[in-house]
Amino acid sequence: MSKEVVYEGWMVRYGRRKIGRSYIHMRYFVLEPRLLAFYKKKPHYSQVPVKTMVIDGNCRVEDRGLKTHHGHMVYVLSVYNKKEKHHRITMAAFNIQEALMWKEKIESVIDQHQESQVPNGQQYVAFEYKSGMETGRTASSSDYESQFSAPEDEDDSRRRLVRRTTIGNGPPPSVLDWTKEFDAELANQNSDNQAFSRKHWRLLQCQNGLRIFEELLEVDYLPRSCSRAMKAVGVVEATCEEVFELVMSMDGTRYAWDCSFQYGSLVEEVDGHTAVLYHRLLLDWFPMVVWPRDLCYVRYWRRNDDGSYVVLFRSREHDNCGPQPGCVRAHLESGGYNISPLKPRNGRPRTQVQHLIQIDLKGWGAGYLPAFQQHCLLQMLNSVAGLREWFSQTDARGVHTRIPVMVNMASSSLSLSKSGRSPHQSAFSVDQTNAANRNSVLMDEDSDDDDEFQIAESEQEPETSKTDTDVKKTEEEPAQKIDLSCFSGNLKRNESENARNCWRTSDGNNFKVRSKNFCDDKRKIPAGKHLMDLVAVDWFKDSKRIDHVARRKGCAAQVAAEKGLFSMVVNVQVPGSTHYSMVFYFVAKELVPGSLLQRFVEGDDEFRNSRLKLIPQVPKGSWIVRQSVGSTPCLLGKAVDCNYIRGPTYLEIDVDIGSSTVANGVLGLVIGVITSLVVEMAFLVQANTAEELPERLIGAVRVSHIELSSAVVPNLESG
């Protein structure tokens, strides 16, 4: 062991269980500037570690979440190298704070290694494609922010935590992530997201120190007895970790703050971030007449890079949790908690807690007595006030208690005989199980946590036309128009606003990008004209993942090569029992030498991963989808695995959505309602230095009401 130690301490050795051993193995972990090791006891300098791992730029920290380990609930982290995923060190802690401390220390070492490895972000080693070579995927995803990213306010250091980690196996496809829009609303008080959110929510009342909001939009796909979505917003004087641990508890401590809780137990632990729970409600509305309600729902949670926690709920049928005698099984359409840090006040931590519920209480009371539904909803939402009062009346603060173990429903006193099904069966579909078992990489939103520095659009317009746009026109503007009539794809182009199963080029001014003076004032401006023309879109399907589509004979990239044009091909790969790919072909006459786009094309994968950015939008779609997808810019190379194939006249980017657990979960929701959606995507190269600014879009596309049945199986034989 070297003398320089970054962090050390006792942790649970969470690994292969030895036969006959049923107790917790504690090991002493030591983190050095380039090495992670653990020992059986506190080491001396001559002692040899049990296991070591070299920490370099290819390492990732995998957040495996909460696991039951020999009768104890522990928070599990796994450190591995992307190039050698079989070689990993897994550790666990009895409390979240200790696990997060290790996570941050390891990530800081990875960051330091990245900065020393790429001192200027301009080491370019292009991957050249030659006919006949293997097209297998290589590990090319980078996890690290460029050191030239514009600095943020030191007081907002929590928002600079942009390390990408794997979060469990992602949310199940049916779980609705309603927090995306709220996260953006909190982070950016002047953003479009907040204005957009105000259109769909109104303040219903203030009660017990909480603001109670009601959703304004009507929905026609839910039964009349299902309530509109309602949310309670309040502030709790506690850390996010303290609130999160209390929210996750389903034991006796919940009686002290949740007046709607009667009983809870674990039905199935899917992974460290996903579980199926049984929850019996205590609703004191004429209990002699109205039967009690219970729920069986899937719960997914994650921790975001800004220190906030998201807990999502949605009802799920499960063979191990049939209807209970004496209860009416309610249906939770969506709900959960969004726990976000606020700035401390008078030295005390503060957390904003949002609790959302959209529920159908079922039974005759819900359909014919609106007061019953309203009363029960407000009683459940008042749990936020219960949290606030619980912490305000508690003196035992700052003590990291162990996470309580949940009671398993199989061993509880609940009668399951009425279900008539095998307790070993599972109601999860094959696709959901495969998604849950996939070792994936996190998306959440990467990059651009600096949105809070944006100013009002009215203040931006005058400067936009005179400075930023004019500067880039001379540097990267395509010289001539391209004849688009010779290009075609199997997904048709249609400029009509109400067209279906089609695409069209999206207006660049719909997207905000970094301005010329972004490093100084953090201003963002409408993007304006694209650098490349979108000439065709293909919509493919196959039984396996579709890689390297640019080699397909007759595709738009091949046609462009025959005309002496350069192409950038973005292949968005959608996993599942049937694999889909939506392929966008962007074409330009030539790349301007020395431009940021030319440097991106000729750069190495590490540079590309740190710069390729996606800005998504959902102009048309249900609010639950808009909240799940969000509109925050994302560095694709950090969020998902991107494979870059450099051909003689093209660069293909294969974007594997399946490598991101969160993206994969959101995708499961989107795919189910894809025919009702209009989605816009803008691709660009992130600009970090004053010389690279302002940012310009590579291109942007709008796809409308896509039909899965219209996808075709491609012939990928090289032309």
Side-chain angles (χ1 to χ4, degrees):
M1 189 179 79
S2 71
K3 293 184 179 180
E4 187 177 359
V5 173
V6 177
Y7 198 65
E8 60 183 328
W10 292 98
M11 293 282 281
V12 178
R13 170 60 178 149
Y14 190 93
R16 297 177 180 176
R17 300 183 182 182
K18 297 182 180 179
I19 298 177
R21 301 286 182 92
S22 60
Y23 53 86
I24 295 291
H25 295 269
M26 299 297 294
R27 294 291 182 262
Y28 197 85
F29 286 79
V30 177
L31 176 64
E32 300 175 15
R34 290 184 177 270
L35 192 71
L36 176 64
F38 68 85
Y39 304 78
K40 287 188 176 181
K41 58 183 180 179
K42 193 169 182 178
H44 301 288
Y45 292 115
S46 59
Q47 188 172 341
V48 178
V50 176
K51 189 174 182 180
T52 62
M53 170 175 283
V54 175
I55 303 297
D56 60 21
N58 292 309
C59 288
R60 271 206 174 117
V61 183
E62 181 182 6
D63 181 350
R64 291 192 174 183
L66 299 173
K67 297 277 191 177
T68 304
H69 186 57
H70 298 312
H72 298 268
M73 188 67 74
V74 293
Y75 194 117
V76 184
L77 300 175
S78 183
V79 186
Y80 67 94
N81 191 299
K82 291 187 296 180
K83 293 184 178 179
E84 300 177 280
K85 287 192 176 182
H86 63 280
H87 180 59
R88 61 174 64 216
I89 289 181
T90 306
M91 60 178 74
F94 290 116
N95 60 74
I96 294 175
Q97 291 85 350
E98 181 65 19
L100 294 178
M101 181 61 71
W102 272 100
K103 175 176 173 286
E104 292 176 7
K105 293 295 184 181
I106 296 171
E107 289 170 348
S108 67
V109 172
I110 298 173
D111 280 332
Q112 292 171 10
H113 177 81
Q114 170 67 12
E115 292 173 3
S116 62
Q117 183 180 19
V118 187
N120 56 11
Q122 297 181 6
Q123 297 180 359
Y124 308 123
V125 180
F127 174 78
E128 299 290 342
Y129 170 74
K130 296 180 175 60
S131 178
M133 74 180 299
E134 294 293 331
T135 58
R137 182 174 298 279
T138 59
S140 60
S141 176
S142 173
D143 282 329
Y144 316 104
E145 272 292 7
S146 168
Q147 60 175 330
F148 285 106
S149 294
E152 300 179 4
D153 191 339
E154 292 181 0
D155 292 337
D156 200 27
S157 59
R158 291 187 74 110
R159 295 196 179 278
R160 291 183 287 160
L161 299 176
V162 291
R163 165 72 44 225
R164 293 297 123 205
T165 59
T166 300
I167 292 189
N169 293 313
S174 62
V175 177
L176 313 175
D177 191 350
W178 51 269
T179 64
K180 293 289 186 180
E181 187 174 310
F182 301 151
D183 289 341
E185 177 181 335
L186 289 173
N188 180 11
Q189 295 300 318
N190 293 320
S191 69
D192 293 336
N193 282 334
Q194 187 191 26
F196 181 76
S197 180
R198 283 200 298 264
K199 296 178 184 177
H200 304 290
W201 294 88
R202 71 179 180 93
L203 182 64
L204 186 66
Q205 61 178 292
C206 292
Q207 177 178 301
N208 295 333
L210 306 177
R211 290 182 299 154
I212 309 294
F213 292 87
E214 182 183 49
E215 178 203 8
L216 292 178
L217 293 182
E218 295 285 353
V219 290
D220 54 7
Y221 56 88
L222 294 176
R224 175 171 164 265
S225 57
C226 188
S227 69
R228 291 185 179 184
M230 295 179 65
K231 63 173 180 175
V233 183
V235 176
V236 178
E237 287 193 346
T239 65
C240 289
E241 284 72 28
E242 290 173 323
V243 176
F244 171 74
E245 289 182 0
L246 209 55
V247 165
M248 294 289 284
S249 66
M250 296 288 280
D251 58 2
T253 60
R254 200 175 186 100
Y255 295 124
W257 61 271
D258 188 353
C259 61
S260 66
F261 176 79
Q262 183 176 7
Y263 177 82
S265 62
L266 175 68
V267 178
E268 179 185 356
E269 186 178 63
V270 181
D271 60 48
H273 288 259
T274 308
V276 181
L277 306 179
Y278 174 77
H279 187 161
R280 183 174 292 176
L281 299 172
L282 181 62
L283 305 174
D284 56 350
W285 200 84
F286 294 102
M288 300 297 294
V289 178
V290 179
W291 280 27
R293 264 55 177 177
D294 65 358
L295 296 162
C296 179
Y297 59 86
V298 59
R299 180 185 70 186
Y300 167 80
W301 71 271
R302 71 170 183 268
R303 182 181 187 272
N304 294 328
D305 287 330
D306 62 355
S308 64
Y309 290 84
V310 171
V311 184
L312 303 176
F313 306 141
R314 193 175 192 187
S315 281
R316 169 69 54 80
E317 292 183 0
H318 196 281
D319 291 325
N320 230 12
C321 185
Q324 301 299 307
C327 288
V328 174
R329 180 60 53 88
H331 177 80
L332 188 62
E333 179 63 23
S334 65
Y337 292 87
N338 192 16
I339 306 166
S340 306
L342 298 174
K343 290 184 178 180
R345 180 174 295 174
N346 299 326
R348 297 183 65 88
R350 296 191 310 141
T351 296
Q352 184 183 70
V353 180
Q354 299 185 56
H355 185 20
L356 181 141
I357 298 175
Q358 186 173 22
I359 192 171
D360 183 354
L361 289 170
K362 301 291 186 179
W364 65 269
Y368 296 97
L369 297 175
F372 167 66
Q373 187 93 347
Q374 183 85 349
H375 170 85
C376 295
L377 272 172
L378 291 176
Q379 184 177 344
M380 297 168 71
L381 291 173
N382 264 323
S383 63
V384 179
L387 283 169
R388 184 192 64 224
E389 294 304 309
W390 191 93
F391 282 105
S392 68
Q393 301 171 25
T394 301
D395 291 329
R397 304 293 298 275
V399 179
H400 300 332
T401 57
R402 291 193 176 187
I403 305 166
V405 179
M406 291 185 60
V407 177
N408 195 305
M409 190 174 186
S411 61
S412 69
S413 59
L414 286 175
S415 173
L416 300 178
S417 59
K418 298 236 173 189
S419 64
R421 297 170 183 172
S422 169
H424 302 291
Q425 294 175 347
S426 174
F428 292 102
S429 68
V430 175
D431 283 350
Q432 289 168 332
T433 304
N434 291 341
N437 292 330
R438 188 179 294 113
N439 191 9
S440 318
V441 184
L442 171 71
M443 176 217 50
D444 213 81
E445 294 80 26
D446 218 330
S447 146
D448 281 23
D449 286 334
D450 39 37
D451 281 351
E452 64 170 311
F453 294 99
Q454 295 181 33
I455 62 172
E457 185 174 343
S458 58
E459 299 177 24
Q460 298 174 359
E461 296 300 334
E463 182 179 315
T464 302
S465 59
K466 292 185 179 181
T467 58
D468 297 346
T469 308
D470 291 344
V471 169
K472 281 296 180 181
K473 266 186 180 179
T474 58
E475 182 181 344
E476 295 186 351
E477 194 78 18
Q480 304 174 28
K481 287 288 184 180
I482 296 174
D483 180 13
L484 305 182
S485 60
C486 56
F487 300 97
S488 64
N490 70 313
L491 190 66
K492 301 304 179 184
R493 179 171 185 163
N494 194 320
E495 299 295 332
S496 173
E497 184 69 25
N498 298 319
R500 303 183 64 86
N501 198 40
C502 62
W503 68 273
R504 72 181 189 190
T505 300
S506 183
D507 185 357
N509 289 321
N510 293 339
F511 305 92
K512 297 291 184 66
V513 297
R514 296 179 175 184
S515 66
K516 178 63 179 176
N517 298 319
F518 178 82
C519 293
D520 299 323
D521 55 22
K522 309 298 180 187
R523 301 178 74 177
K524 290 193 172 183
I525 60 173
K529 192 173 181 180
H530 310 160
L531 295 175
M532 304 182 75
D533 291 311
L534 180 61
V535 297
V537 176
D538 279 325
W539 181 222
F540 292 142
K541 66 179 179 181
D542 206 342
S543 58
K544 60 183 182 299
R545 191 178 61 203
I546 305 169
D547 295 330
H548 195 187
V549 294
R551 73 181 190 271
R552 185 176 64 89
K553 184 176 181 180
C555 73
Q558 298 283 350
V559 174
E562 295 172 358
K563 297 183 174 296
L565 305 175
F566 180 82
S567 303
M568 184 174 293
V569 182
V570 181
N571 176 15
V572 180
Q573 300 169 322
V574 182
S577 54
T578 299
H579 291 258
Y580 293 91
S581 276
M582 184 161 284
V583 188
F584 307 107
Y585 300 90
F586 299 97
V587 172
K589 287 281 187 180
E590 60 181 3
L591 300 178
V592 178
S595 65
L596 181 58
L597 180 58
Q598 189 268 341
R599 290 166 48 203
F600 173 82
V601 169
E602 302 300 338
D604 63 2
D605 287 358
E606 197 163 29
F607 179 72
R608 292 165 177 160
N609 283 328
S610 68
R611 297 300 188 96
L612 179 61
K613 185 188 292 184
L614 167 70
I615 307 177
Q617 291 184 3
V618 184
K620 293 184 180 179
S622 63
W623 66 270
I624 53 179
V625 175
R626 291 196 301 268
Q627 291 160 359
S628 298
V629 175
S631 59
T632 306
C634 164
L635 285 178
L636 279 177
K638 296 184 178 185
V640 297
D641 287 343
C642 294
N643 190 41
Y644 302 91
I645 304 171
R646 179 69 165 96
T649 58
Y650 64 84
L651 172 67
E652 177 173 336
I653 308 170
D654 291 345
V655 182
D656 184 8
I657 302 297
S659 64
S660 165
T661 56
V662 178
N664 208 22
V666 172
L667 186 64
L669 168 65
V670 172
I671 284 292
V673 293
I674 192 171
T675 56
S676 65
L677 299 181
V678 175
V679 179
E680 292 187 330
M681 293 175 283
F683 301 92
L684 65 155
V685 181
Q686 178 167 289
N688 292 333
T689 66
E691 292 74 20
E692 297 170 344
L693 292 167
E695 289 180 332
R696 295 290 305 279
L697 298 184
I698 296 172
V701 62
R702 178 186 178 105
V703 290
S704 303
H705 308 291
I706 299 299
E707 300 284 349
L708 293 178
S709 59
S710 66
V712 301
V713 179
N715 180 6
L716 293 181
E717 294 181 1
S718 301

